[in-house]
Amino acid sequence: MKPAKASKTKTPAEQAEDRLVFDRPFELQHYDLTQHIWTSFEHLHGNINKAISTGGQNPSDSAHSSRYTFRIRYHAALDGVRSDIQHYRIIYGGEPFELADYDDYNERRTIIKLIASRIRTGTLALISESSAEDDIGQQIPTESTIDLPCIEYETTQEERADAYQISLRLAYRLRIFRGEYNGERRAEYDGKTYRIGSVRYVGDCVDLYLGERIGDLDAS
């Protein structure tokens, strides 16, 4: 009679996973580029821990936030998050979190670790300029706006200095999706109109640097 096969000894990582308690509810959202809104994707329960604070360490890539680790059990719908992480975010405790990393340790598809940072969000109105003919054929300038969800980031001393070189007093760095920006040069934010001094593309997103032209009485 053959001896019974010994069970495989679990690694320390697997033993730690067995002890996890998935009791914290949160919502995973997906961004709809056609409607320009965040929509609910999954309601999940996870093991959540605060990781490291990003505020003050790298303000160029932070949004006045703290970083959290969300551990959840794997299921197939999460494959879309992995391949398109910038179009997903987490709502936890009523606050939005931007996803920074998706970790499937050793590709085991058991426990997924999502790293996310609490962010400051707002609504940006991009101003488009065009012209149309009136009844006598004259070109009349017109404006239109589109409201878009955005993330507000810290601006660094270096970014403010760069803006000053193009005569711009930098006020905000705001992130929207790349497909939503069409070269507009002005925008409204927090009740005021600003010039868009420069742009920086970050994956599927774009950072817009808003400010007032030095010497202008206003930004209109």
Side-chain angles (χ1 to χ4, degrees), residues 69-89:
T69 300
F70 295 77
R71 291 180 174 87
I72 53 178
R73 298 189 189 278
Y74 170 83
H75 61 284
L78 296 175
D79 288 339
V81 179
R82 179 178 189 170
S83 61
D84 193 20
I85 194 170
Q86 285 189 311
H87 288 85
Y88 291 86
R89 74 176 184 182

PDB file of all heavy atoms in Angstrom, residues 69-89:
ATOM      1  N   THR A  69      -3.578  50.190   1.157  1.00  0.00           N
ATOM      2  CA  THR A  69      -3.510  48.893   0.499  1.00  0.00           C
ATOM      3  C   THR A  69      -4.857  48.194   0.647  1.00  0.00           C
ATOM      4  O   THR A  69      -5.339  48.002   1.772  1.00  0.00           O
ATOM      5  CB  THR A  69      -2.408  48.014   1.113  1.00  0.00           C
ATOM      6  OG1 THR A  69      -1.145  48.659   0.966  1.00  0.00           O
ATOM      7  CG2 THR A  69      -2.349  46.662   0.416  1.00  0.00           C
ATOM      8  N   PHE A  70      -5.464  47.855  -0.492  1.00  0.00           N
ATOM      9  CA  PHE A  70      -6.752  47.156  -0.513  1.00  0.00           C
ATOM     10  C   PHE A  70      -6.495  45.731  -1.001  1.00  0.00           C
ATOM     11  O   PHE A  70      -6.154  45.520  -2.168  1.00  0.00           O
ATOM     12  CB  PHE A  70      -7.734  47.856  -1.463  1.00  0.00           C
ATOM     13  CG  PHE A  70      -8.128  49.246  -1.053  1.00  0.00           C
ATOM     14  CD1 PHE A  70      -7.262  50.324  -1.257  1.00  0.00           C
ATOM     15  CD2 PHE A  70      -9.360  49.495  -0.464  1.00  0.00           C
ATOM     16  CE1 PHE A  70      -7.624  51.619  -0.888  1.00  0.00           C
ATOM     17  CE2 PHE A  70      -9.723  50.788  -0.089  1.00  0.00           C
ATOM     18  CZ  PHE A  70      -8.855  51.850  -0.301  1.00  0.00           C
ATOM     19  N   ARG A  71      -6.659  44.741  -0.130  1.00  0.00           N
ATOM     20  CA  ARG A  71      -6.506  43.334  -0.515  1.00  0.00           C
ATOM     21  C   ARG A  71      -7.881  42.711  -0.702  1.00  0.00           C
ATOM     22  O   ARG A  71      -8.737  42.796   0.184  1.00  0.00           O
ATOM     23  CB  ARG A  71      -5.705  42.565   0.529  1.00  0.00           C
ATOM     24  CG  ARG A  71      -4.237  42.970   0.591  1.00  0.00           C
ATOM     25  CD  ARG A  71      -3.497  42.173   1.653  1.00  0.00           C
ATOM     26  NE  ARG A  71      -2.063  42.444   1.626  1.00  0.00           N
ATOM     27  CZ  ARG A  71      -1.480  43.448   2.284  1.00  0.00           C
ATOM     28  NH1 ARG A  71      -2.228  44.281   3.000  1.00  0.00           N
ATOM     29  NH2 ARG A  71      -0.179  43.631   2.213  1.00  0.00           N
ATOM     30  N   ILE A  72      -8.086  42.075  -1.843  1.00  0.00           N
ATOM     31  CA  ILE A  72      -9.375  41.471  -2.166  1.00  0.00           C
ATOM     32  C   ILE A  72      -9.159  40.099  -2.789  1.00  0.00           C
ATOM     33  O   ILE A  72      -8.085  39.809  -3.319  1.00  0.00           O
ATOM     34  CB  ILE A  72     -10.188  42.358  -3.137  1.00  0.00           C
ATOM     35  CG1 ILE A  72      -9.356  42.711  -4.377  1.00  0.00           C
ATOM     36  CG2 ILE A  72     -10.697  43.613  -2.445  1.00  0.00           C
ATOM     37  CD1 ILE A  72     -10.094  43.546  -5.401  1.00  0.00           C
ATOM     38  N   ARG A  73     -10.181  39.268  -2.727  1.00  0.00           N
ATOM     39  CA  ARG A  73     -10.107  37.966  -3.366  1.00  0.00           C
ATOM     40  C   ARG A  73     -10.233  38.138  -4.886  1.00  0.00           C
ATOM     41  O   ARG A  73     -11.056  38.914  -5.368  1.00  0.00           O
ATOM     42  CB  ARG A  73     -11.199  37.040  -2.843  1.00  0.00           C
ATOM     43  CG  ARG A  73     -11.085  36.753  -1.358  1.00  0.00           C
ATOM     44  CD  ARG A  73     -12.061  35.662  -0.954  1.00  0.00           C
ATOM     45  NE  ARG A  73     -12.117  35.510   0.499  1.00  0.00           N
ATOM     46  CZ  ARG A  73     -11.251  34.818   1.206  1.00  0.00           C
ATOM     47  NH1 ARG A  73     -10.246  34.210   0.591  1.00  0.00           N
ATOM     48  NH2 ARG A  73     -11.375  34.724   2.513  1.00  0.00           N
ATOM     49  N   TYR A  74      -9.426  37.383  -5.606  1.00  0.00           N
ATOM     50  CA  TYR A  74      -9.440  37.491  -7.071  1.00  0.00           C
ATOM     51  C   TYR A  74     -10.745  36.960  -7.656  1.00  0.00           C
ATOM     52  O   TYR A  74     -11.286  35.951  -7.202  1.00  0.00           O
ATOM     53  CB  TYR A  74      -8.276  36.698  -7.671  1.00  0.00           C
ATOM     54  CG  TYR A  74      -8.382  36.586  -9.177  1.00  0.00           C
ATOM     55  CD1 TYR A  74      -7.941  37.609  -9.999  1.00  0.00           C
ATOM     56  CD2 TYR A  74      -8.956  35.452  -9.761  1.00  0.00           C
ATOM     57  CE1 TYR A  74      -8.068  37.525 -11.374  1.00  0.00           C
ATOM     58  CE2 TYR A  74      -9.081  35.365 -11.142  1.00  0.00           C
ATOM     59  CZ  TYR A  74      -8.640  36.398 -11.941  1.00  0.00           C
ATOM     60  OH  TYR A  74      -8.779  36.312 -13.306  1.00  0.00           O
ATOM     61  N   HIS A  75     -11.251  37.656  -8.695  1.00  0.00           N
ATOM     62  CA  HIS A  75     -12.262  37.104  -9.588  1.00  0.00           C
ATOM     63  C   HIS A  75     -12.030  37.713 -10.973  1.00  0.00           C
ATOM     64  O   HIS A  75     -11.349  38.720 -11.130  1.00  0.00           O
ATOM     65  CB  HIS A  75     -13.685  37.329  -9.089  1.00  0.00           C
ATOM     66  CG  HIS A  75     -14.081  38.770  -8.934  1.00  0.00           C
ATOM     67  ND1 HIS A  75     -13.649  39.552  -7.887  1.00  0.00           N
ATOM     68  CD2 HIS A  75     -14.873  39.564  -9.690  1.00  0.00           C
ATOM     69  CE1 HIS A  75     -14.171  40.760  -7.999  1.00  0.00           C
ATOM     70  NE2 HIS A  75     -14.909  40.802  -9.096  1.00  0.00           N
ATOM     71  N   ALA A  76     -12.572  37.081 -11.993  1.00  0.00           N
ATOM     72  CA  ALA A  76     -12.190  37.368 -13.372  1.00  0.00           C
ATOM     73  C   ALA A  76     -12.428  38.820 -13.782  1.00  0.00           C
ATOM     74  O   ALA A  76     -11.698  39.362 -14.619  1.00  0.00           O
ATOM     75  CB  ALA A  76     -12.937  36.430 -14.330  1.00  0.00           C
ATOM     76  N   ALA A  77     -13.429  39.475 -13.200  1.00  0.00           N
ATOM     77  CA  ALA A  77     -13.732  40.854 -13.593  1.00  0.00           C
ATOM     78  C   ALA A  77     -12.576  41.800 -13.293  1.00  0.00           C
ATOM     79  O   ALA A  77     -12.467  42.870 -13.905  1.00  0.00           O
ATOM     80  CB  ALA A  77     -14.993  41.335 -12.876  1.00  0.00           C
ATOM     81  N   LEU A  78     -11.682  41.396 -12.381  1.00  0.00           N
ATOM     82  CA  LEU A  78     -10.560  42.261 -12.017  1.00  0.00           C
ATOM     83  C   LEU A  78      -9.480  42.301 -13.085  1.00  0.00           C
ATOM     84  O   LEU A  78      -8.598  43.164 -13.046  1.00  0.00           O
ATOM     85  CB  LEU A  78      -9.951  41.799 -10.693  1.00  0.00           C
ATOM     86  CG  LEU A  78     -10.872  41.901  -9.476  1.00  0.00           C
ATOM     87  CD1 LEU A  78     -10.203  41.300  -8.258  1.00  0.00           C
ATOM     88  CD2 LEU A  78     -11.271  43.345  -9.215  1.00  0.00           C
ATOM     89  N   ASP A  79      -9.522  41.381 -14.060  1.00  0.00           N
ATOM     90  CA  ASP A  79      -8.522  41.402 -15.130  1.00  0.00           C
ATOM     91  C   ASP A  79      -8.579  42.716 -15.908  1.00  0.00           C
ATOM     92  O   ASP A  79      -7.563  43.215 -16.389  1.00  0.00           O
ATOM     93  CB  ASP A  79      -8.734  40.223 -16.079  1.00  0.00           C
ATOM     94  CG  ASP A  79      -8.331  38.895 -15.438  1.00  0.00           C
ATOM     95  OD1 ASP A  79      -7.542  38.923 -14.476  1.00  0.00           O
ATOM     96  OD2 ASP A  79      -8.811  37.854 -15.904  1.00  0.00           O
ATOM     97  N   GLY A  80      -9.778  43.282 -16.050  1.00  0.00           N
ATOM     98  CA  GLY A  80      -9.915  44.557 -16.747  1.00  0.00           C
ATOM     99  C   GLY A  80      -9.262  45.702 -16.003  1.00  0.00           C
ATOM    100  O   GLY A  80      -8.747  46.640 -16.616  1.00  0.00           O
ATOM    101  N   VAL A  81      -9.260  45.629 -14.679  1.00  0.00           N
ATOM    102  CA  VAL A  81      -8.613  46.664 -13.882  1.00  0.00           C
ATOM    103  C   VAL A  81      -7.110  46.636 -14.126  1.00  0.00           C
ATOM    104  O   VAL A  81      -6.467  47.673 -14.290  1.00  0.00           O
ATOM    105  CB  VAL A  81      -8.918  46.465 -12.388  1.00  0.00           C
ATOM    106  CG1 VAL A  81      -8.238  47.530 -11.548  1.00  0.00           C
ATOM    107  CG2 VAL A  81     -10.423  46.453 -12.145  1.00  0.00           C
ATOM    108  N   ARG A  82      -6.572  45.432 -14.153  1.00  0.00           N
ATOM    109  CA  ARG A  82      -5.128  45.280 -14.337  1.00  0.00           C
ATOM    110  C   ARG A  82      -4.655  45.882 -15.651  1.00  0.00           C
ATOM    111  O   ARG A  82      -3.617  46.531 -15.710  1.00  0.00           O
ATOM    112  CB  ARG A  82      -4.767  43.801 -14.281  1.00  0.00           C
ATOM    113  CG  ARG A  82      -3.295  43.520 -14.490  1.00  0.00           C
ATOM    114  CD  ARG A  82      -3.026  42.043 -14.379  1.00  0.00           C
ATOM    115  NE  ARG A  82      -1.609  41.757 -14.356  1.00  0.00           N
ATOM    116  CZ  ARG A  82      -1.099  40.571 -14.076  1.00  0.00           C
ATOM    117  NH1 ARG A  82      -1.897  39.566 -13.803  1.00  0.00           N
ATOM    118  NH2 ARG A  82       0.196  40.389 -14.071  1.00  0.00           N
ATOM    119  N   SER A  83      -5.416  45.681 -16.719  1.00  0.00           N
ATOM    120  CA  SER A  83      -4.980  46.132 -18.045  1.00  0.00           C
ATOM    121  C   SER A  83      -5.325  47.585 -18.327  1.00  0.00           C
ATOM    122  O   SER A  83      -4.858  48.143 -19.324  1.00  0.00           O
ATOM    123  CB  SER A  83      -5.614  45.242 -19.128  1.00  0.00           C
ATOM    124  OG  SER A  83      -7.038  45.325 -19.079  1.00  0.00           O
ATOM    125  N   ASP A  84      -6.114  48.223 -17.461  1.00  0.00           N
ATOM    126  CA  ASP A  84      -6.581  49.586 -17.749  1.00  0.00           C
ATOM    127  C   ASP A  84      -6.733  50.359 -16.449  1.00  0.00           C
ATOM    128  O   ASP A  84      -7.765  50.966 -16.184  1.00  0.00           O
ATOM    129  CB  ASP A  84      -7.927  49.500 -18.488  1.00  0.00           C
ATOM    130  CG  ASP A  84      -8.345  50.821 -19.097  1.00  0.00           C
ATOM    131  OD1 ASP A  84      -7.476  51.699 -19.301  1.00  0.00           O
ATOM    132  OD2 ASP A  84      -9.552  50.985 -19.375  1.00  0.00           O
ATOM    133  N   ILE A  85      -5.686  50.343 -15.633  1.00  0.00           N
ATOM    134  CA  ILE A  85      -5.800  50.791 -14.244  1.00  0.00           C
ATOM    135  C   ILE A  85      -6.186  52.269 -14.114  1.00  0.00           C
ATOM    136  O   ILE A  85      -6.867  52.655 -13.159  1.00  0.00           O
ATOM    137  CB  ILE A  85      -4.477  50.499 -13.492  1.00  0.00           C
ATOM    138  CG1 ILE A  85      -4.672  50.641 -11.982  1.00  0.00           C
ATOM    139  CG2 ILE A  85      -3.338  51.373 -13.998  1.00  0.00           C
ATOM    140  CD1 ILE A  85      -3.502  50.140 -11.177  1.00  0.00           C
ATOM    141  N   GLN A  86      -5.804  53.111 -15.069  1.00  0.00           N
ATOM    142  CA  GLN A  86      -6.095  54.544 -14.930  1.00  0.00           C
ATOM    143  C   GLN A  86      -7.576  54.864 -15.050  1.00  0.00           C
ATOM    144  O   GLN A  86      -8.012  55.932 -14.624  1.00  0.00           O
ATOM    145  CB  GLN A  86      -5.311  55.349 -15.973  1.00  0.00           C
ATOM    146  CG  GLN A  86      -3.826  55.481 -15.649  1.00  0.00           C
ATOM    147  CD  GLN A  86      -3.130  56.458 -16.563  1.00  0.00           C
ATOM    148  OE1 GLN A  86      -3.274  56.401 -17.788  1.00  0.00           O
ATOM    149  NE2 GLN A  86      -2.368  57.349 -15.996  1.00  0.00           N
ATOM    150  N   HIS A  87      -8.360  53.941 -15.628  1.00  0.00           N
ATOM    151  CA  HIS A  87      -9.790  54.193 -15.801  1.00  0.00           C
ATOM    152  C   HIS A  87     -10.626  53.623 -14.657  1.00  0.00           C
ATOM    153  O   HIS A  87     -11.853  53.535 -14.772  1.00  0.00           O
ATOM    154  CB  HIS A  87     -10.272  53.632 -17.135  1.00  0.00           C
ATOM    155  CG  HIS A  87      -9.803  54.421 -18.315  1.00  0.00           C
ATOM    156  ND1 HIS A  87      -8.579  54.210 -18.904  1.00  0.00           N
ATOM    157  CD2 HIS A  87     -10.373  55.442 -19.004  1.00  0.00           C
ATOM    158  CE1 HIS A  87      -8.424  55.056 -19.919  1.00  0.00           C
ATOM    159  NE2 HIS A  87      -9.496  55.807 -19.993  1.00  0.00           N
ATOM    160  N   TYR A  88      -9.961  53.247 -13.565  1.00  0.00           N
ATOM    161  CA  TYR A  88     -10.674  52.742 -12.391  1.00  0.00           C
ATOM    162  C   TYR A  88     -10.246  53.544 -11.157  1.00  0.00           C
ATOM    163  O   TYR A  88      -9.128  54.056 -11.087  1.00  0.00           O
ATOM    164  CB  TYR A  88     -10.373  51.258 -12.156  1.00  0.00           C
ATOM    165  CG  TYR A  88     -10.965  50.346 -13.205  1.00  0.00           C
ATOM    166  CD1 TYR A  88     -10.277  50.096 -14.383  1.00  0.00           C
ATOM    167  CD2 TYR A  88     -12.219  49.756 -13.024  1.00  0.00           C
ATOM    168  CE1 TYR A  88     -10.811  49.264 -15.358  1.00  0.00           C
ATOM    169  CE2 TYR A  88     -12.760  48.923 -13.989  1.00  0.00           C
ATOM    170  CZ  TYR A  88     -12.049  48.680 -15.152  1.00  0.00           C
ATOM    171  OH  TYR A  88     -12.589  47.856 -16.119  1.00  0.00           O
ATOM    172  N   ARG A  89     -11.142  53.609 -10.188  1.00  0.00           N
ATOM    173  CA  ARG A  89     -10.804  54.216  -8.910  1.00  0.00           C
ATOM    174  C   ARG A  89     -11.624  53.541  -7.818  1.00  0.00           C
ATOM    175  O   ARG A  89     -12.568  52.769  -8.096  1.00  0.00           O
ATOM    176  CB  ARG A  89     -11.052  55.719  -8.917  1.00  0.00           C
ATOM    177  CG  ARG A  89     -12.520  56.131  -8.854  1.00  0.00           C
ATOM    178  CD  ARG A  89     -12.679  57.644  -8.770  1.00  0.00           C
ATOM    179  NE  ARG A  89     -14.082  58.027  -8.606  1.00  0.00           N
ATOM    180  CZ  ARG A  89     -14.512  59.286  -8.548  1.00  0.00           C
ATOM    181  NH1 ARG A  89     -13.643  60.286  -8.669  1.00  0.00           N
ATOM    182  NH2 ARG A  89     -15.795  59.543  -8.371  1.00  0.00           N
TER     183      ARG A  89
END
